[in-house]
Amino acid sequence: GGSRTIGQLAAAEGVRSPTMTALVNGLVDDGLVRKHTSADDARSTIVEATAKGRGLLQQGRSRRIAKLGQIMGGLNEEE
């Protein structure tokens, strides 16, 4: 969690920075993230989730955990 630069997000997703910038701009428009210039490097843009974005992330995590629980619940000790 926490804030990340556009470059860090792009590297994590395996895309180029311009592609990530376009994706982040859409998330800003949807109110899911906010962005600001880095205090350490004026060339870097910092991205952080808003309360709305964090809520959406938590919902996704909860669904993945529930699904994994369903999958794991059907396995026996040998599997």
PDB file of all heavy atoms in Angstrom, residues 30-67:
ATOM      1  N   ASP A  30     -12.198   9.435 -11.797  1.00  0.00           N
ATOM      2  CA  ASP A  30     -13.198   8.636 -11.081  1.00  0.00           C
ATOM      3  C   ASP A  30     -13.152   8.854  -9.567  1.00  0.00           C
ATOM      4  O   ASP A  30     -13.939   8.256  -8.826  1.00  0.00           O
ATOM      5  CB  ASP A  30     -13.004   7.145 -11.373  1.00  0.00           C
ATOM      6  CG  ASP A  30     -13.349   6.777 -12.809  1.00  0.00           C
ATOM      7  OD1 ASP A  30     -14.070   7.557 -13.474  1.00  0.00           O
ATOM      8  OD2 ASP A  30     -12.889   5.710 -13.269  1.00  0.00           O
ATOM      9  N   GLY A  31     -12.195   9.669  -9.108  1.00  0.00           N
ATOM     10  CA  GLY A  31     -12.077   9.950  -7.678  1.00  0.00           C
ATOM     11  C   GLY A  31     -11.446   8.833  -6.872  1.00  0.00           C
ATOM     12  O   GLY A  31     -11.575   8.796  -5.649  1.00  0.00           O
ATOM     13  N   LEU A  32     -10.736   7.916  -7.537  1.00  0.00           N
ATOM     14  CA  LEU A  32     -10.141   6.775  -6.847  1.00  0.00           C
ATOM     15  C   LEU A  32      -8.721   7.034  -6.368  1.00  0.00           C
ATOM     16  O   LEU A  32      -8.258   6.383  -5.419  1.00  0.00           O
ATOM     17  CB  LEU A  32     -10.172   5.540  -7.756  1.00  0.00           C
ATOM     18  CG  LEU A  32     -11.580   5.094  -8.164  1.00  0.00           C
ATOM     19  CD1 LEU A  32     -11.505   3.996  -9.207  1.00  0.00           C
ATOM     20  CD2 LEU A  32     -12.378   4.654  -6.951  1.00  0.00           C
ATOM     21  N   VAL A  33      -8.014   7.937  -7.032  1.00  0.00           N
ATOM     22  CA  VAL A  33      -6.658   8.317  -6.622  1.00  0.00           C
ATOM     23  C   VAL A  33      -6.497   9.820  -6.760  1.00  0.00           C
ATOM     24  O   VAL A  33      -7.276  10.493  -7.431  1.00  0.00           O
ATOM     25  CB  VAL A  33      -5.547   7.608  -7.448  1.00  0.00           C
ATOM     26  CG1 VAL A  33      -5.625   6.096  -7.332  1.00  0.00           C
ATOM     27  CG2 VAL A  33      -5.578   8.044  -8.902  1.00  0.00           C
ATOM     28  N   ARG A  34      -5.464  10.333  -6.100  1.00  0.00           N
ATOM     29  CA  ARG A  34      -5.059  11.722  -6.320  1.00  0.00           C
ATOM     30  C   ARG A  34      -3.569  11.691  -6.630  1.00  0.00           C
ATOM     31  O   ARG A  34      -2.873  10.746  -6.266  1.00  0.00           O
ATOM     32  CB  ARG A  34      -5.389  12.592  -5.110  1.00  0.00           C
ATOM     33  CG  ARG A  34      -4.669  12.232  -3.850  1.00  0.00           C
ATOM     34  CD  ARG A  34      -5.083  13.167  -2.700  1.00  0.00           C
ATOM     35  NE  ARG A  34      -4.973  12.467  -1.451  1.00  0.00           N
ATOM     36  CZ  ARG A  34      -5.975  11.874  -0.812  1.00  0.00           C
ATOM     37  NH1 ARG A  34      -7.174  11.892  -1.304  1.00  0.00           N
ATOM     38  NH2 ARG A  34      -5.783  11.236   0.319  1.00  0.00           N
ATOM     39  N   LYS A  35      -3.105  12.702  -7.304  1.00  0.00           N
ATOM     40  CA  LYS A  35      -1.686  12.752  -7.655  1.00  0.00           C
ATOM     41  C   LYS A  35      -1.141  14.142  -7.361  1.00  0.00           C
ATOM     42  O   LYS A  35      -1.880  15.122  -7.358  1.00  0.00           O
ATOM     43  CB  LYS A  35      -1.450  12.343  -9.106  1.00  0.00           C
ATOM     44  CG  LYS A  35      -2.125  13.216 -10.133  1.00  0.00           C
ATOM     45  CD  LYS A  35      -1.874  12.664 -11.531  1.00  0.00           C
ATOM     46  CE  LYS A  35      -2.456  13.632 -12.554  1.00  0.00           C
ATOM     47  NZ  LYS A  35      -2.101  13.265 -13.907  1.00  0.00           N
ATOM     48  N   HIS A  36       0.158  14.176  -7.065  1.00  0.00           N
ATOM     49  CA  HIS A  36       0.844  15.435  -6.804  1.00  0.00           C
ATOM     50  C   HIS A  36       2.315  15.276  -7.151  1.00  0.00           C
ATOM     51  O   HIS A  36       2.817  14.155  -7.268  1.00  0.00           O
ATOM     52  CB  HIS A  36       0.649  15.884  -5.352  1.00  0.00           C
ATOM     53  CG  HIS A  36       1.137  14.893  -4.333  1.00  0.00           C
ATOM     54  ND1 HIS A  36       2.425  14.856  -3.879  1.00  0.00           N
ATOM     55  CD2 HIS A  36       0.484  13.881  -3.702  1.00  0.00           C
ATOM     56  CE1 HIS A  36       2.558  13.867  -2.999  1.00  0.00           C
ATOM     57  NE2 HIS A  36       1.394  13.261  -2.891  1.00  0.00           N
ATOM     58  N   THR A  37       2.971  16.388  -7.319  1.00  0.00           N
ATOM     59  CA  THR A  37       4.395  16.375  -7.645  1.00  0.00           C
ATOM     60  C   THR A  37       5.195  15.988  -6.413  1.00  0.00           C
ATOM     61  O   THR A  37       4.920  16.449  -5.305  1.00  0.00           O
ATOM     62  CB  THR A  37       4.836  17.759  -8.154  1.00  0.00           C
ATOM     63  OG1 THR A  37       4.043  18.088  -9.293  1.00  0.00           O
ATOM     64  CG2 THR A  37       6.303  17.773  -8.544  1.00  0.00           C
ATOM     65  N   SER A  38       6.207  15.160  -6.607  1.00  0.00           N
ATOM     66  CA  SER A  38       7.072  14.727  -5.517  1.00  0.00           C
ATOM     67  C   SER A  38       7.831  15.915  -4.938  1.00  0.00           C
ATOM     68  O   SER A  38       8.346  16.754  -5.676  1.00  0.00           O
ATOM     69  CB  SER A  38       8.068  13.685  -6.031  1.00  0.00           C
ATOM     70  OG  SER A  38       9.070  13.432  -5.070  1.00  0.00           O
ATOM     71  N   ALA A  39       7.909  15.970  -3.620  1.00  0.00           N
ATOM     72  CA  ALA A  39       8.686  17.019  -2.953  1.00  0.00           C
ATOM     73  C   ALA A  39      10.178  16.802  -3.164  1.00  0.00           C
ATOM     74  O   ALA A  39      10.962  17.753  -3.136  1.00  0.00           O
ATOM     75  CB  ALA A  39       8.366  17.037  -1.465  1.00  0.00           C
ATOM     76  N   ASP A  40      10.575  15.547  -3.398  1.00  0.00           N
ATOM     77  CA  ASP A  40      11.988  15.207  -3.585  1.00  0.00           C
ATOM     78  C   ASP A  40      12.469  15.367  -5.016  1.00  0.00           C
ATOM     79  O   ASP A  40      13.652  15.578  -5.247  1.00  0.00           O
ATOM     80  CB  ASP A  40      12.245  13.766  -3.139  1.00  0.00           C
ATOM     81  CG  ASP A  40      11.948  13.546  -1.674  1.00  0.00           C
ATOM     82  OD1 ASP A  40      12.136  14.493  -0.882  1.00  0.00           O
ATOM     83  OD2 ASP A  40      11.512  12.433  -1.320  1.00  0.00           O
ATOM     84  N   ASP A  41      11.562  15.218  -5.985  1.00  0.00           N
ATOM     85  CA  ASP A  41      11.944  15.265  -7.393  1.00  0.00           C
ATOM     86  C   ASP A  41      10.767  15.821  -8.198  1.00  0.00           C
ATOM     87  O   ASP A  41       9.776  15.127  -8.413  1.00  0.00           O
ATOM     88  CB  ASP A  41      12.305  13.851  -7.871  1.00  0.00           C
ATOM     89  CG  ASP A  41      12.767  13.802  -9.315  1.00  0.00           C
ATOM     90  OD1 ASP A  41      12.691  14.830 -10.025  1.00  0.00           O
ATOM     91  OD2 ASP A  41      13.208  12.722  -9.751  1.00  0.00           O
ATOM     92  N   ALA A  42      10.894  17.058  -8.624  1.00  0.00           N
ATOM     93  CA  ALA A  42       9.799  17.730  -9.332  1.00  0.00           C
ATOM     94  C   ALA A  42       9.408  17.034 -10.629  1.00  0.00           C
ATOM     95  O   ALA A  42       8.341  17.296 -11.176  1.00  0.00           O
ATOM     96  CB  ALA A  42      10.178  19.183  -9.614  1.00  0.00           C
ATOM     97  N   ARG A  43      10.250  16.118 -11.125  1.00  0.00           N
ATOM     98  CA  ARG A  43       9.923  15.377 -12.349  1.00  0.00           C
ATOM     99  C   ARG A  43       9.010  14.190 -12.076  1.00  0.00           C
ATOM    100  O   ARG A  43       8.445  13.604 -12.996  1.00  0.00           O
ATOM    101  CB  ARG A  43      11.205  14.872 -13.015  1.00  0.00           C
ATOM    102  CG  ARG A  43      12.148  15.983 -13.446  1.00  0.00           C
ATOM    103  CD  ARG A  43      13.491  15.426 -13.847  1.00  0.00           C
ATOM    104  NE  ARG A  43      14.082  14.753 -12.674  1.00  0.00           N
ATOM    105  CZ  ARG A  43      15.154  13.988 -12.695  1.00  0.00           C
ATOM    106  NH1 ARG A  43      15.783  13.767 -13.830  1.00  0.00           N
ATOM    107  NH2 ARG A  43      15.620  13.442 -11.594  1.00  0.00           N
ATOM    108  N   SER A  44       8.867  13.801 -10.809  1.00  0.00           N
ATOM    109  CA  SER A  44       8.085  12.622 -10.447  1.00  0.00           C
ATOM    110  C   SER A  44       6.697  13.002  -9.940  1.00  0.00           C
ATOM    111  O   SER A  44       6.547  13.963  -9.191  1.00  0.00           O
ATOM    112  CB  SER A  44       8.795  11.825  -9.347  1.00  0.00           C
ATOM    113  OG  SER A  44       9.977  11.245  -9.832  1.00  0.00           O
ATOM    114  N   THR A  45       5.731  12.202 -10.342  1.00  0.00           N
ATOM    115  CA  THR A  45       4.362  12.366  -9.870  1.00  0.00           C
ATOM    116  C   THR A  45       4.047  11.250  -8.891  1.00  0.00           C
ATOM    117  O   THR A  45       4.254  10.070  -9.191  1.00  0.00           O
ATOM    118  CB  THR A  45       3.372  12.321 -11.047  1.00  0.00           C
ATOM    119  OG1 THR A  45       3.676  13.403 -11.935  1.00  0.00           O
ATOM    120  CG2 THR A  45       1.936  12.433 -10.585  1.00  0.00           C
ATOM    121  N   ILE A  46       3.554  11.638  -7.724  1.00  0.00           N
ATOM    122  CA  ILE A  46       3.180  10.676  -6.690  1.00  0.00           C
ATOM    123  C   ILE A  46       1.679  10.405  -6.811  1.00  0.00           C
ATOM    124  O   ILE A  46       0.879  11.318  -6.964  1.00  0.00           O
ATOM    125  CB  ILE A  46       3.489  11.227  -5.281  1.00  0.00           C
ATOM    126  CG1 ILE A  46       4.966  11.627  -5.166  1.00  0.00           C
ATOM    127  CG2 ILE A  46       3.075  10.240  -4.202  1.00  0.00           C
ATOM    128  CD1 ILE A  46       5.937  10.479  -5.267  1.00  0.00           C
ATOM    129  N   VAL A  47       1.313   9.132  -6.709  1.00  0.00           N
ATOM    130  CA  VAL A  47      -0.086   8.721  -6.800  1.00  0.00           C
ATOM    131  C   VAL A  47      -0.456   8.037  -5.490  1.00  0.00           C
ATOM    132  O   VAL A  47       0.302   7.206  -4.979  1.00  0.00           O
ATOM    133  CB  VAL A  47      -0.287   7.732  -7.971  1.00  0.00           C
ATOM    134  CG1 VAL A  47      -1.737   7.288  -8.063  1.00  0.00           C
ATOM    135  CG2 VAL A  47       0.189   8.341  -9.282  1.00  0.00           C
ATOM    136  N   GLU A  48      -1.606   8.408  -4.938  1.00  0.00           N
ATOM    137  CA  GLU A  48      -2.093   7.750  -3.733  1.00  0.00           C
ATOM    138  C   GLU A  48      -3.599   7.568  -3.821  1.00  0.00           C
ATOM    139  O   GLU A  48      -4.305   8.387  -4.411  1.00  0.00           O
ATOM    140  CB  GLU A  48      -1.707   8.522  -2.478  1.00  0.00           C
ATOM    141  CG  GLU A  48      -2.179   9.940  -2.443  1.00  0.00           C
ATOM    142  CD  GLU A  48      -1.612  10.732  -1.278  1.00  0.00           C
ATOM    143  OE1 GLU A  48      -1.065  10.139  -0.344  1.00  0.00           O
ATOM    144  OE2 GLU A  48      -1.726  11.959  -1.311  1.00  0.00           O
ATOM    145  N   ALA A  49      -4.068   6.484  -3.236  1.00  0.00           N
ATOM    146  CA  ALA A  49      -5.493   6.177  -3.267  1.00  0.00           C
ATOM    147  C   ALA A  49      -6.260   7.139  -2.368  1.00  0.00           C
ATOM    148  O   ALA A  49      -5.786   7.525  -1.304  1.00  0.00           O
ATOM    149  CB  ALA A  49      -5.730   4.738  -2.813  1.00  0.00           C
ATOM    150  N   THR A  50      -7.446   7.507  -2.804  1.00  0.00           N
ATOM    151  CA  THR A  50      -8.374   8.281  -1.980  1.00  0.00           C
ATOM    152  C   THR A  50      -9.115   7.308  -1.071  1.00  0.00           C
ATOM    153  O   THR A  50      -8.975   6.077  -1.195  1.00  0.00           O
ATOM    154  CB  THR A  50      -9.389   9.021  -2.863  1.00  0.00           C
ATOM    155  OG1 THR A  50     -10.152   8.029  -3.582  1.00  0.00           O
ATOM    156  CG2 THR A  50      -8.733   9.985  -3.824  1.00  0.00           C
ATOM    157  N   ALA A  51      -9.934   7.832  -0.173  1.00  0.00           N
ATOM    158  CA  ALA A  51     -10.753   6.960   0.684  1.00  0.00           C
ATOM    159  C   ALA A  51     -11.638   6.061  -0.181  1.00  0.00           C
ATOM    160  O   ALA A  51     -11.790   4.863   0.087  1.00  0.00           O
ATOM    161  CB  ALA A  51     -11.586   7.802   1.639  1.00  0.00           C
ATOM    162  N   LYS A  52     -12.210   6.629  -1.239  1.00  0.00           N
ATOM    163  CA  LYS A  52     -13.050   5.850  -2.160  1.00  0.00           C
ATOM    164  C   LYS A  52     -12.222   4.745  -2.823  1.00  0.00           C
ATOM    165  O   LYS A  52     -12.673   3.601  -2.933  1.00  0.00           O
ATOM    166  CB  LYS A  52     -13.639   6.778  -3.218  1.00  0.00           C
ATOM    167  CG  LYS A  52     -14.531   6.111  -4.220  1.00  0.00           C
ATOM    168  CD  LYS A  52     -15.082   7.128  -5.219  1.00  0.00           C
ATOM    169  CE  LYS A  52     -15.904   6.494  -6.309  1.00  0.00           C
ATOM    170  NZ  LYS A  52     -16.391   7.477  -7.282  1.00  0.00           N
ATOM    171  N   GLY A  53     -11.009   5.065  -3.250  1.00  0.00           N
ATOM    172  CA  GLY A  53     -10.132   4.084  -3.885  1.00  0.00           C
ATOM    173  C   GLY A  53      -9.701   2.990  -2.923  1.00  0.00           C
ATOM    174  O   GLY A  53      -9.674   1.809  -3.277  1.00  0.00           O
ATOM    175  N   ARG A  54      -9.374   3.376  -1.677  1.00  0.00           N
ATOM    176  CA  ARG A  54      -8.990   2.372  -0.673  1.00  0.00           C
ATOM    177  C   ARG A  54     -10.153   1.435  -0.383  1.00  0.00           C
ATOM    178  O   ARG A  54      -9.966   0.225  -0.220  1.00  0.00           O
ATOM    179  CB  ARG A  54      -8.501   3.050   0.605  1.00  0.00           C
ATOM    180  CG  ARG A  54      -7.115   3.662   0.465  1.00  0.00           C
ATOM    181  CD  ARG A  54      -6.552   4.142   1.799  1.00  0.00           C
ATOM    182  NE  ARG A  54      -7.394   5.147   2.441  1.00  0.00           N
ATOM    183  CZ  ARG A  54      -7.340   6.447   2.206  1.00  0.00           C
ATOM    184  NH1 ARG A  54      -6.472   6.918   1.325  1.00  0.00           N
ATOM    185  NH2 ARG A  54      -8.143   7.284   2.838  1.00  0.00           N
ATOM    186  N   GLY A  55     -11.369   1.982  -0.343  1.00  0.00           N
ATOM    187  CA  GLY A  55     -12.548   1.137  -0.122  1.00  0.00           C
ATOM    188  C   GLY A  55     -12.731   0.123  -1.233  1.00  0.00           C
ATOM    189  O   GLY A  55     -13.027  -1.050  -0.975  1.00  0.00           O
ATOM    190  N   LEU A  56     -12.538   0.565  -2.458  1.00  0.00           N
ATOM    191  CA  LEU A  56     -12.659  -0.337  -3.600  1.00  0.00           C
ATOM    192  C   LEU A  56     -11.578  -1.416  -3.568  1.00  0.00           C
ATOM    193  O   LEU A  56     -11.855  -2.595  -3.832  1.00  0.00           O
ATOM    194  CB  LEU A  56     -12.586   0.460  -4.903  1.00  0.00           C
ATOM    195  CG  LEU A  56     -12.924  -0.283  -6.185  1.00  0.00           C
ATOM    196  CD1 LEU A  56     -14.351  -0.796  -6.155  1.00  0.00           C
ATOM    197  CD2 LEU A  56     -12.718   0.636  -7.377  1.00  0.00           C
ATOM    198  N   LEU A  57     -10.355  -1.038  -3.207  1.00  0.00           N
ATOM    199  CA  LEU A  57      -9.277  -2.023  -3.073  1.00  0.00           C
ATOM    200  C   LEU A  57      -9.614  -3.058  -2.005  1.00  0.00           C
ATOM    201  O   LEU A  57      -9.399  -4.253  -2.198  1.00  0.00           O
ATOM    202  CB  LEU A  57      -7.960  -1.325  -2.721  1.00  0.00           C
ATOM    203  CG  LEU A  57      -7.282  -0.553  -3.837  1.00  0.00           C
ATOM    204  CD1 LEU A  57      -6.151   0.298  -3.276  1.00  0.00           C
ATOM    205  CD2 LEU A  57      -6.756  -1.506  -4.894  1.00  0.00           C
ATOM    206  N   GLN A  58     -10.137  -2.600  -0.872  1.00  0.00           N
ATOM    207  CA  GLN A  58     -10.491  -3.515   0.215  1.00  0.00           C
ATOM    208  C   GLN A  58     -11.592  -4.479  -0.214  1.00  0.00           C
ATOM    209  O   GLN A  58     -11.548  -5.661   0.115  1.00  0.00           O
ATOM    210  CB  GLN A  58     -10.916  -2.741   1.463  1.00  0.00           C
ATOM    211  CG  GLN A  58     -11.170  -3.624   2.659  1.00  0.00           C
ATOM    212  CD  GLN A  58      -9.969  -4.482   3.035  1.00  0.00           C
ATOM    213  OE1 GLN A  58      -8.838  -4.006   3.076  1.00  0.00           O
ATOM    214  NE2 GLN A  58     -10.193  -5.744   3.282  1.00  0.00           N
ATOM    215  N   GLN A  59     -12.575  -3.995  -0.959  1.00  0.00           N
ATOM    216  CA  GLN A  59     -13.637  -4.869  -1.453  1.00  0.00           C
ATOM    217  C   GLN A  59     -13.055  -5.959  -2.348  1.00  0.00           C
ATOM    218  O   GLN A  59     -13.440  -7.130  -2.256  1.00  0.00           O
ATOM    219  CB  GLN A  59     -14.675  -4.070  -2.236  1.00  0.00           C
ATOM    220  CG  GLN A  59     -15.543  -3.190  -1.399  1.00  0.00           C
ATOM    221  CD  GLN A  59     -16.460  -2.318  -2.263  1.00  0.00           C
ATOM    222  OE1 GLN A  59     -16.533  -2.481  -3.481  1.00  0.00           O
ATOM    223  NE2 GLN A  59     -17.146  -1.397  -1.629  1.00  0.00           N
ATOM    224  N   GLY A  60     -12.125  -5.575  -3.223  1.00  0.00           N
ATOM    225  CA  GLY A  60     -11.492  -6.549  -4.111  1.00  0.00           C
ATOM    226  C   GLY A  60     -10.698  -7.585  -3.339  1.00  0.00           C
ATOM    227  O   GLY A  60     -10.760  -8.787  -3.638  1.00  0.00           O
ATOM    228  N   ARG A  61      -9.954  -7.130  -2.330  1.00  0.00           N
ATOM    229  CA  ARG A  61      -9.189  -8.067  -1.498  1.00  0.00           C
ATOM    230  C   ARG A  61     -10.125  -9.045  -0.783  1.00  0.00           C
ATOM    231  O   ARG A  61      -9.846 -10.247  -0.720  1.00  0.00           O
ATOM    232  CB  ARG A  61      -8.351  -7.303  -0.474  1.00  0.00           C
ATOM    233  CG  ARG A  61      -7.150  -6.638  -1.047  1.00  0.00           C
ATOM    234  CD  ARG A  61      -6.306  -5.987   0.046  1.00  0.00           C
ATOM    235  NE  ARG A  61      -5.298  -5.159  -0.562  1.00  0.00           N
ATOM    236  CZ  ARG A  61      -5.156  -3.859  -0.356  1.00  0.00           C
ATOM    237  NH1 ARG A  61      -5.956  -3.226   0.488  1.00  0.00           N
ATOM    238  NH2 ARG A  61      -4.220  -3.179  -0.965  1.00  0.00           N
ATOM    239  N   SER A  62     -11.206  -8.523  -0.239  1.00  0.00           N
ATOM    240  CA  SER A  62     -12.156  -9.379   0.484  1.00  0.00           C
ATOM    241  C   SER A  62     -12.738 -10.441  -0.432  1.00  0.00           C
ATOM    242  O   SER A  62     -12.880 -11.604  -0.035  1.00  0.00           O
ATOM    243  CB  SER A  62     -13.279  -8.534   1.092  1.00  0.00           C
ATOM    244  OG  SER A  62     -12.763  -7.669   2.071  1.00  0.00           O
ATOM    245  N   ARG A  63     -13.067 -10.069  -1.673  1.00  0.00           N
ATOM    246  CA  ARG A  63     -13.609 -11.046  -2.630  1.00  0.00           C
ATOM    247  C   ARG A  63     -12.558 -12.110  -2.968  1.00  0.00           C
ATOM    248  O   ARG A  63     -12.895 -13.303  -3.057  1.00  0.00           O
ATOM    249  CB  ARG A  63     -14.079 -10.348  -3.903  1.00  0.00           C
ATOM    250  CG  ARG A  63     -15.415  -9.642  -3.743  1.00  0.00           C
ATOM    251  CD  ARG A  63     -16.005  -9.240  -5.096  1.00  0.00           C
ATOM    252  NE  ARG A  63     -15.176  -8.315  -5.828  1.00  0.00           N
ATOM    253  CZ  ARG A  63     -15.241  -6.988  -5.737  1.00  0.00           C
ATOM    254  NH1 ARG A  63     -16.107  -6.435  -4.925  1.00  0.00           N
ATOM    255  NH2 ARG A  63     -14.454  -6.224  -6.451  1.00  0.00           N
ATOM    256  N   ARG A  64     -11.304 -11.686  -3.146  1.00  0.00           N
ATOM    257  CA  ARG A  64     -10.248 -12.665  -3.461  1.00  0.00           C
ATOM    258  C   ARG A  64     -10.022 -13.617  -2.297  1.00  0.00           C
ATOM    259  O   ARG A  64      -9.850 -14.826  -2.493  1.00  0.00           O
ATOM    260  CB  ARG A  64      -8.950 -11.952  -3.836  1.00  0.00           C
ATOM    261  CG  ARG A  64      -8.994 -11.325  -5.226  1.00  0.00           C
ATOM    262  CD  ARG A  64      -7.630 -10.851  -5.694  1.00  0.00           C
ATOM    263  NE  ARG A  64      -7.031  -9.866  -4.826  1.00  0.00           N
ATOM    264  CZ  ARG A  64      -7.272  -8.554  -4.849  1.00  0.00           C
ATOM    265  NH1 ARG A  64      -8.148  -8.070  -5.704  1.00  0.00           N
ATOM    266  NH2 ARG A  64      -6.665  -7.725  -4.031  1.00  0.00           N
ATOM    267  N   ILE A  65     -10.034 -13.114  -1.074  1.00  0.00           N
ATOM    268  CA  ILE A  65      -9.837 -13.960   0.103  1.00  0.00           C
ATOM    269  C   ILE A  65     -10.989 -14.950   0.232  1.00  0.00           C
ATOM    270  O   ILE A  65     -10.777 -16.132   0.515  1.00  0.00           O
ATOM    271  CB  ILE A  65      -9.687 -13.095   1.377  1.00  0.00           C
ATOM    272  CG1 ILE A  65      -8.336 -12.368   1.325  1.00  0.00           C
ATOM    273  CG2 ILE A  65      -9.802 -13.942   2.641  1.00  0.00           C
ATOM    274  CD1 ILE A  65      -8.183 -11.277   2.363  1.00  0.00           C
ATOM    275  N   ALA A  66     -12.205 -14.483   0.021  1.00  0.00           N
ATOM    276  CA  ALA A  66     -13.367 -15.380   0.098  1.00  0.00           C
ATOM    277  C   ALA A  66     -13.277 -16.472  -0.961  1.00  0.00           C
ATOM    278  O   ALA A  66     -13.554 -17.646  -0.672  1.00  0.00           O
ATOM    279  CB  ALA A  66     -14.657 -14.582  -0.063  1.00  0.00           C
ATOM    280  N   LYS A  67     -12.904 -16.113  -2.168  1.00  0.00           N
ATOM    281  CA  LYS A  67     -12.781 -17.095  -3.249  1.00  0.00           C
ATOM    282  C   LYS A  67     -11.692 -18.116  -2.928  1.00  0.00           C
ATOM    283  O   LYS A  67     -11.884 -19.323  -3.134  1.00  0.00           O
ATOM    284  CB  LYS A  67     -12.494 -16.380  -4.573  1.00  0.00           C
ATOM    285  CG  LYS A  67     -12.460 -17.287  -5.764  1.00  0.00           C
ATOM    286  CD  LYS A  67     -13.815 -17.906  -6.025  1.00  0.00           C
ATOM    287  CE  LYS A  67     -13.815 -18.705  -7.301  1.00  0.00           C
ATOM    288  NZ  LYS A  67     -15.076 -19.411  -7.489  1.00  0.00           N
TER     289      LYS A  67
END
